[in-house]
Amino acid sequence: MEFRHLGRSGLMVSEISYGNWITHGSQVEEEAAFACVRAALDAGITTFDTADVYAGTRAEDVLGRALQGERREGIELFTKVYWPTGPGRNDRGLSRKHIMESINGSLRRLRTDHVDLYQAHRYDHSTPLEETMEAFADIVHSGKAHYIGVSEWTAGQIREAHALARELRIPLISNQPQYSMLWRVIEAEVVPTSEELGLGQIVWSPMAQGVLSGKYLPGQPPPAGSRATDEKSGAGFIARFMNDEVLTRVQRLKPLAEQAGLTMPQLAVAWVLQNPNVSSAIIGASRPEQVHDNVKAAGVRLEADLLKAIDEIVEPVTERDPARTESPAQRP
């Protein structure tokens, strides 16, 4: 495993991080979830990402139990707040009330007294940013979180939050966006702003919800049991990539992966890590062998001619519009 600084902070994270968005507590049984976490640890992954909303808070609980017995100082534990975690009007968003209550719930489920990174899961247009950042400051100053991050915020929102963070003397060090060969909306504005301000990207869906694995074939129905057939596993989200033009071009990437000595998933993960502003790529897994395969993308350096060939294939179907950065309906 290779390691990188998260932005310009002193925090080191594994190039490959393990996330449990639609696996733990919902898609896979607990025994399989524990086995995947063990595989991640055995492969050298030290960075684990979750959120209070995943599987209705169950994902945090499963991850907390799976990591019990590990040396707390040896792992980087990330979680998020924003999406509804209860039926009440204040069980959502980035109000002071919800943030303060949510961090306590997350720490209880994760079986720890602090998280290394606490992230705003989306921007809250109904709460003053000052209120949100002051609540985060109190959490950092109380020792319940070491660093603060955001997820799917626009460049302008990141800039405003960063200015407040400096005033409040708290370290805002990261953004967690969707990023892959097919979804590059952060490149035009978010990445340059993050580089200027010292934030690193912790990217989710580097394989475009599995589309870049090559398992979905044009003109054919999705394999039984795959993510594209399971509404609980993100079928609605993956739909944007499930058309013959995209799938045909993805199949044309296979010879390039073979040329590089990589599997298709490895090529997809290695590709996002070529961006110097990317600190870590989040992978998910329902089987330990998926972890073992994906981690081999760590430390891979793709040649310039290979990157150019990839661009030539996927460019006609690549999404680059910065306006797509903020997508409140998505949950990475």
Side-chain angles (χ1 to χ4, degrees):
M1 182 56 60
E2 304 264 337
F3 297 83
R4 300 182 179 188
H5 284 278
L6 185 47
R8 284 202 295 266
S9 77
L11 180 65
M12 300 291 290
V13 294
S14 49
E15 280 192 346
I16 311 292
S17 47
Y18 182 87
N20 67 351
W21 169 25
I22 48 178
T23 50
H24 295 186
S26 56
Q27 188 186 60
V28 302
E29 298 297 329
E30 188 165 300
E31 184 177 345
F34 278 35
C36 288
V37 171
R38 174 48 51 192
L41 291 164
D42 290 345
I45 290 175
T46 61
T47 305
F48 293 84
D49 179 81
T50 187
D52 55 7
V53 71
Y54 296 165
T57 74
R58 294 188 301 277
E60 283 185 329
D61 183 66
V62 172
L63 183 61
R65 285 185 284 117
L67 290 172
Q68 274 192 299
E70 292 300 312
R71 191 175 75 90
R72 181 62 186 86
E73 296 79 3
I75 60 174
E76 304 83 50
L77 191 55
F78 302 168
T79 194
K80 312 182 198 74
V81 57
Y82 170 82
W83 295 102
T85 52
R89 294 176 181 174
N90 289 307
D91 292 328
R92 66 200 67 204
L94 297 178
S95 68
R96 180 179 182 84
K97 175 176 172 62
H98 184 53
I99 289 173
M100 291 302 187
E101 292 171 350
S102 292
I103 187 63
N104 291 331
S106 289
L107 295 180
R108 183 178 63 253
R109 290 184 290 270
L110 290 167
R111 292 162 173 76
T112 184
D113 62 358
H114 73 280
V115 291
D116 297 283
L117 181 70
Y118 198 41
Q119 303 160 95
H121 210 157
R122 287 296 184 275
Y123 187 88
D124 186 354
H125 293 277
S126 65
T127 300
L129 183 58
E130 292 82 0
E131 177 180 339
T132 295
M133 296 306 292
E134 286 169 2
F136 280 144
D138 286 345
I139 286 172
V140 170
H141 295 151
S142 69
K144 292 181 179 180
H146 292 329
Y147 302 88
I148 295 299
V150 300
S151 177
E152 291 292 347
W153 284 30
T154 65
Q157 292 162 353
I158 289 171
R159 189 175 295 279
E160 290 181 38
H162 184 265
L164 287 170
R166 287 182 63 87
E167 290 180 16
L168 294 164
R169 298 183 180 276
I170 56 173
L172 174 61
I173 65 171
S174 66
N175 177 49
Q176 187 173 133
Q178 179 185 180
Y179 187 51
S180 71
M181 297 177 194
L182 300 176
W183 193 264
R184 298 167 68 167
V185 303
I186 63 171
E187 290 183 347
E189 298 177 1
V190 168
V191 166
T193 298
S194 297
E195 289 176 336
E196 175 193 343
L197 301 178
L199 279 70
Q201 310 300 318
I202 310 161
V203 304
W204 59 276
S205 197
M207 285 184 275
Q209 292 296 289
V211 167
L212 289 170
S213 71
K215 67 182 176 183
Y216 299 108
L217 302 177
Q220 298 187 25
S226 66
R227 185 168 297 178
T229 64
D230 186 351
E231 284 297 330
K232 294 187 299 181
S233 298
F237 171 78
I238 198 177
R240 65 165 64 99
F241 302 123
M242 294 297 291
N243 63 74
D244 283 354
E245 184 180 8
V246 171
L247 299 181
T248 297
R249 289 186 176 276
V250 169
Q251 292 303 308
R252 290 174 56 189
L253 295 172
K254 286 186 174 181
L256 300 184
E258 293 170 0
Q259 170 189 329
L262 302 169
T263 65
M264 287 282 282
Q266 289 165 4
L267 179 67
V269 176
W271 184 90
V272 300
L273 290 171
Q274 305 310 297
N275 187 321
N277 191 232
V278 171
S279 298
S280 187
I282 300 173
I283 64 166
S286 56
R287 304 186 308 276
E289 52 266 32
Q290 293 172 321
V291 177
H292 294 309
D293 181 70
N294 293 342
V295 295
K296 293 176 182 176
V300 170
R301 299 295 175 259
L302 302 180
E303 297 294 333
D305 58 347
L306 177 58
L307 293 172
K308 181 180 179 182
I310 291 171
D311 281 349
E312 289 174 350
I313 290 172
V314 301
E315 183 60 35
V317 294
T318 295
E319 178 60 68
R320 292 180 177 271
D321 183 2
R324 304 295 298 276
T325 297
E326 186 184 31
S327 302
Q330 300 168 5
R331 295 183 184 178

